[in-house]
Amino acid sequence: EGKSTCAKDLSIYFNGGYCPEFSRCYAEHNKIKLESCGISEIEMFIHNQLRATLSSTMNNILTFVDGDTVTNLAYARLLLTNEKYEKLVERTKDFYFSGFHQAFLFAPHEKFISDGIRNMAAPYEIRMATFQTMLELYEEHNVPYTILNGSYKENFEAIKEYVERHSWSKIL
């Protein structure tokens, strides 16, 4: 849906920080599919995503984060057994959702161009199930979010307007 490109472009537009999705970088670097990751790797993703996010926000309070811990929890909820998922949640509960002002979720579209890292070439129903899982997790953890369902340009403009409306650009 263009989330990674949008986060990078917004960080450039606002001269803000950018924090990539750790699990995606890890999968690309190690040439693996995220679907093949187990509990220890997902736990490592959660810890490292939080560290990267905190580091980025120390350098720039207005940081656009490509993927957060809920992304990794959503993968875990869909990939692991319930027992392993609950174990992961218990082991990582102190590493969630630190300092986020607002999350923006890009709703899945029927047509999608796979990045080759995640199973995004999967049927729309599977991508929608992942999206629904992310919504449930944001609700569970009281993370404020907005669903965006437009084109790349429309989504970019919606986030840009949100940032401008909340005076983040004036803080910097």
Side-chain angles (χ1 to χ4, degrees):
E1 280 33 86
K3 174 179 62 75
S4 301
T5 302
C6 193
K8 287 177 195 173
D9 290 350
L10 285 161
S11 72
I12 292 166
Y13 181 87
F14 284 106
N15 195 28
Y18 170 72
C19 184
E21 182 179 345
F22 181 85
S23 56
R24 179 181 183 159
C25 295
Y26 180 88
E28 287 174 350
H29 178 76
N30 292 291
K31 296 177 179 33
I32 62 169
K33 300 251 185 227
L34 290 176
E35 296 86 48
S36 67
C37 295
I39 188 171
S40 61
E41 285 172 306
I42 296 171
E43 182 176 356
M44 181 261 301
F45 296 159
I46 290 169
H47 288 257
N48 284 301
Q49 185 67 61
L50 180 63
R51 286 185 186 105
T53 299
L54 292 175
S55 176
S56 293
T57 56
M58 281 188 199
N59 292 326
N60 194 323
I61 192 169
L62 180 61
T63 295
F64 296 89
V65 181
D66 184 10
D68 59 15
T69 52
V70 77
T71 306
N72 296 296
L73 284 177
Y75 293 149
R77 189 177 271 178
L78 293 166
L79 297 172
L80 302 175
T81 64
N82 285 342
E83 182 181 322
K84 285 184 180 180
Y85 175 77
E86 292 302 325
K87 185 176 183 182
L88 175 72
V89 167
E90 181 58 33
R91 289 176 15 190
T92 60
K93 66 183 175 193
D94 296 328
F95 290 87
Y96 302 154
F97 318 113
S98 178
F100 285 106
H101 188 269
Q102 181 72 21
F104 293 93
L105 290 126
F106 288 37
H109 294 104
E110 285 284 342
K111 287 188 171 187
F112 188 88
I113 299 170
S114 176
D115 62 11
I117 302 300
R118 294 161 287 191
N119 188 16
M120 298 309 266
Y124 174 75
E125 294 76 24
I126 292 174
R127 291 187 290 113
M128 186 53 98
T130 304
F131 177 75
Q132 288 299 118
T133 300
M134 292 179 75
L135 288 176
E136 291 167 12
L137 288 166
Y138 278 131
E139 290 286 335
E140 271 178 43
H141 296 282
N142 299 310
V143 176
Y145 66 89
T146 299
I147 298 171
L148 299 175
N149 196 22
S151 67
Y152 168 84
K153 184 176 179 177
E154 291 167 334
N155 292 344
F156 180 94
E157 288 297 321
I159 298 169
K160 182 182 117 189
E161 289 172 17
Y162 176 90
V163 171
E164 289 170 343
R165 198 170 52 249
H166 288 85
S167 302
W168 286 97
S169 57
K170 293 178 182 115
I171 293 171
L172 304 172

